[in-house]
Amino acid sequence: MFVLRMRDECTRALRASQSPWQLFVDMCCEDVLTHSKMKLKRFLLRYYPPGIILEYERGGYERTKSIDLLGLTPETNPDELVAEIRHSEPLVTESRADQVKQLILRLQQKQSQQNHHRFCFYKDLKAHILPLTNVAFDKSGSRFLTGSYDRTCRVWDTASGTELHTLEGHRNVVYAITFNNPYGDKIATASFDKTCKLWCAETGKCFHTFRGHIAEIVCLAFNPQSTLVATGSMDATAKLWDVETGEEVATLNDHTAEVLSLCFNTVGNQLVTGSFDHTVVIWDVASARRVHTLIGHTGEICSVQFNWDCSLIVTGSMDKTCKLWEAVSGKCVATLVGHKEEVLDVCFDLSGQLIATASADGRARVFSATTHQCLLTLEGHDGEISKICFNPQGSRVLTASSDKTARLWDAQSGVCLQVLEGHTDEIFSCVFNYEGDTIITGSKDNTCRIWY
C-alpha cells in the first residue's frame, strides 16, 4: 500500500516558504525517541503523488522522510493504513496517529474531487525571435521558463504573462532548461555552445558556467536535493556538477555515442542515461560508477525515466519500441510494442501505474506498468508526436505534435477531450503545472501559449 524511504539526508532542509507541499501542522515535538534520537518537527502533505513528508531532527541535523502512499484510493481504510504506517515508522507515535489519519483523509478528499476542467486559451506570448526548444514550470506554477534557438532563456510570470528575466550569455541554442524543483530558487540551462549555466531564479544572475563538454549539451537535470546538476552531451558523456561550487564532480564515460536523455531517481542515489549507442546505463551517483548497462534496444534511445518509487525504468527508442526495466537487477521485464515509427518520448504517471508513449507515427499509447498491456491508442494527430506527459492526477494525457496542435486526452477512456489550436508551426514542448490546471505549449513559431 505504501512505500517508506529516506528522501533527503542532511543535504538541504525544506523550508515552509519553499515547500511544494501543504504544511499541515508545525509541531515542535518534545519527546525524543530514545532508541533513534529522532525528534519529529512537523508533517507536510504532498498531493501528487499522494504522500506524507516527515521533517525531523537527528544528530543536530534537519532531515526529511517520505511516506509514499502510491496505492492510496478514496476507498482505502484510513485506520488500517495508519496502523500500517505506525508499525513501520517509529516517528509516528500513538499521539500522532490521529494527525496522520487527518492527513490521509485530506489526500482522499483531494482524490475524490472530479476533474472536469476545460482549458481555455489565455495568452499568446511572443517569447523569442527564433523557435522555442523547451518550456518548464517551477513547482508552484507561478513561473515558467522558455528556451530558444535565439540563445536565451526567459523567465515568465504565469498569471500575467509578464517577462521577469532574460537569461543571456550562451553563444548558441539554449536547448534544455529546468528549475531546481521543489525549491525553485535556481535555474539550469544547457546549450549547443557546450556549456551549462546556473542562474538565480529571483534575480537572473548567473552563478556558474559549467565547462568541460566538447560537444552540444542536449539534456540536464537537478538531483532532488538540488546539490548536483547532471548534463548529457553529444560528446557521448554525461557529467555531474556541484551546484554550490560550480566544479565538475564526475564524468560518466560508458557510452560510445551521443547521450540524449537522462533522469535522476526520486531519492537521488541513481542516474539513468540513454544514448544513440542503443544502450541505457544506470549510474550510482555517489561513486559515479556504472551499476548496469541495459542492452536490448536495436535503435537510438530517445527518452528515459524512472518511476516514482525508483523500482522501474522506462525507455523509448528509434527501434519503434518502449522497454521496461527493473532498476535493481537491470533486467528487461517487458517490451511495449505497437508503434509503426520511432518512439520519441515516454513517461510514467506519478503513481507509476501507467506509461505513455509518443511516436513519429502520429499516435500515442498508454500501457499498464504492471500487466504491460496496451490500454489505449490515442489517435487524432496529423503529424509526429514529440512530447507527452500526464497531468499530476494521472487522469489526463497531453501530447504535442508537428501538426501545430496539442491534444488533451482522457487517460481512462482514450477520448480526445480538447484540441489546443492556435500555433502556426509545430509544437516542440508542452507541460502541466503542479496542480494540473495550467498548460504551457512552446512552438517553432517563436511563441508560447498559456492555457487555463
Side-chain angles (χ1 to χ4, degrees):
M1 171 56 67
F2 73 96
V3 178
L4 174 68
R5 67 173 182 271
M6 298 299 297
R7 181 170 293 277
D8 187 0
E9 276 286 333
C10 305
T11 54
R12 181 170 180 173
L14 285 171
R15 298 193 295 273
S17 61
Q18 294 179 317
S19 175
W21 303 295
Q22 174 68 40
L23 180 61
F24 178 67
V25 59
D26 191 359
M27 50 175 197
C28 290
C29 172
E30 295 302 327
D31 51 308
V32 177
L33 304 178
T34 56
H35 68 283
S36 56
K37 303 292 186 183
M38 296 190 294
K39 184 194 299 183
L40 184 61
K41 301 270 291 182
R42 59 185 174 185
F43 293 121
L44 297 164
L45 190 64
R46 189 191 64 218
Y47 287 126
Y48 311 117
I52 299 169
I53 313 302
L54 311 179
E55 285 193 358
Y56 68 101
E57 287 184 6
R58 188 174 72 185
Y61 293 96
E62 287 193 4
R63 302 167 183 251
T64 63
K65 281 186 182 183
S66 170
I67 303 174
D68 292 338
L69 305 173
L70 302 184
L72 184 71
T73 70
E75 291 73 39
T76 301
N77 185 309
D79 292 309
E80 291 180 1
L81 184 52
V82 170
E84 192 175 350
I85 292 171
R86 281 198 57 210
H87 177 73
S88 301
E89 176 46 62
L91 279 171
V92 181
T93 60
E94 184 177 359
S95 64
R96 307 301 172 196
D98 188 61
Q99 291 170 312
V100 172
K101 180 180 177 180
Q102 294 306 312
L103 286 172
I104 292 168
L105 290 172
R106 286 180 60 175
L107 289 171
Q108 291 177 308
Q109 182 182 20
K110 189 77 168 179
Q111 289 182 325
S112 298
Q113 293 175 359
Q114 296 298 308
N115 182 9
H116 300 302
H117 184 75
R118 184 169 181 83
F119 289 89
C120 297
F121 169 67
Y122 170 60
K123 193 164 284 191
D124 180 24
L125 304 180
K126 312 298 183 190
H128 295 270
I129 59 173
L130 287 174
L132 276 69
T133 54
N134 274 296
V135 295
F137 269 112
D138 71 354
K139 193 71 173 188
S140 70
S142 62
R143 297 167 299 172
F144 68 92
L145 306 174
T146 56
S148 172
Y149 281 81
D150 70 7
R151 307 180 181 187
T152 70
C153 173
R154 296 176 191 263
V155 187
W156 305 85
D157 176 76
T158 308
S160 65
T162 302
E163 182 183 324
L164 301 175
H165 303 292
T166 298
L167 310 183
E168 296 180 293
H170 282 297
R171 299 188 176 188
N172 208 326
V173 176
V174 175
Y175 193 73
I177 54 177
T178 186
F179 280 99
N180 65 330
N181 292 330
Y183 307 102
D185 61 340
K186 294 183 178 67
I187 295 164
T189 57
S191 172
F192 286 3
D193 68 8
K194 310 173 190 177
T195 73
C196 173
K197 289 180 180 287
L198 187 70
W199 312 80
C200 175
E202 300 304 318
T203 66
K205 175 187 174 183
C206 182
F207 288 135
H208 303 296
T209 299
F210 303 139
R211 292 184 173 90
H213 282 294
I214 57 174
E216 296 91 335
I217 304 176
V218 292
C219 52
L220 85 167
F222 283 96
N223 69 340
Q225 295 82 10
S226 191
T227 57
L228 296 172
V229 173
T231 54
S233 170
M234 304 293 276
D235 66 12
T237 73
K239 289 179 182 287
L240 298 176
W241 310 86
D242 188 290
V243 166
E244 190 67 30
T245 67
E247 297 298 317
E248 180 181 323
V249 175
T251 298
L252 311 180
N253 269 317
D254 204 61
H255 289 294
T256 59
E258 298 91 331
V259 176
L260 265 290
S261 182
L262 54 75
C263 178
F264 283 100
N265 68 4
T266 55
V267 175
N269 65 335
Q270 288 189 331
L271 178 79
V272 62
T273 54
S275 170
F276 266 29
D277 65 9
H278 306 183
T279 73
V280 177
V281 176
I282 304 173
W283 306 87
D284 176 72
V285 172
S287 65
R289 292 180 178 174
R290 178 179 60 85
V291 178
H292 297 293
T293 299
L294 312 183
I295 298 173
H297 279 295
T298 58
E300 295 89 338
I301 310 299
C302 297
S303 183
V304 298
Q305 191 180 70
F306 277 99
N307 67 347
W308 183 271
D309 72 11
C310 313
S311 63
L312 296 173
I313 294 166
V314 65
T315 57
S317 170
M318 303 284 273
D319 67 11
K320 308 177 187 178
T321 74
C322 171
K323 288 182 181 287
L324 197 61
W325 313 79
E326 286 182 349
V328 172
S329 68
K331 175 186 175 183
C332 180
V333 295
T335 300
L336 311 181
V337 299
H339 285 297
K340 297 179 180 178
E341 299 293 341
E342 299 92 338
V343 175
L344 302 178
D345 197 22
V346 295
C347 65
F348 285 101
D349 73 336
L350 281 178
S351 74
Q353 297 173 12
L354 298 175
I355 296 166
T357 61
S359 172
D361 65 13
R363 295 176 176 86
R365 291 175 179 265
V366 177
F367 294 86
S368 166
T370 53
T371 69
H372 313 143
Q373 297 299 307
C374 181
L375 305 176
L376 302 169
T377 300
L378 311 180
E379 299 184 84
H381 280 296
D382 293 326
E384 69 176 32
I385 304 172
S386 58
K387 293 289 182 181
I388 193 164
C389 59
F390 286 96
N391 68 345
Q393 297 85 351
S395 61
R396 301 287 184 264
V397 177
L398 180 63
T399 53
S401 172
S402 61
D403 68 6
K404 308 174 188 177
T405 72
R407 286 179 178 250
L408 190 69
W409 313 80
D410 186 289
Q412 298 303 313
S413 68
V415 170
C416 180
L417 301 172
Q418 281 188 257
V419 180
L420 307 183
E421 299 179 290
H423 283 294
T424 59
D425 212 327
E426 57 188 289
I427 301 176
F428 288 147
S429 188
C430 60
V431 64
F432 283 102
N433 68 339
Y434 178 69
E435 284 291 337
D437 57 10
T438 306
I439 290 170
I440 305 292
T441 54
S443 171
K444 189 178 177 182
D445 66 10
N446 306 355
T447 74
C448 67
R449 288 184 160 233
I450 306 173
W451 310 80
Y452 281 130

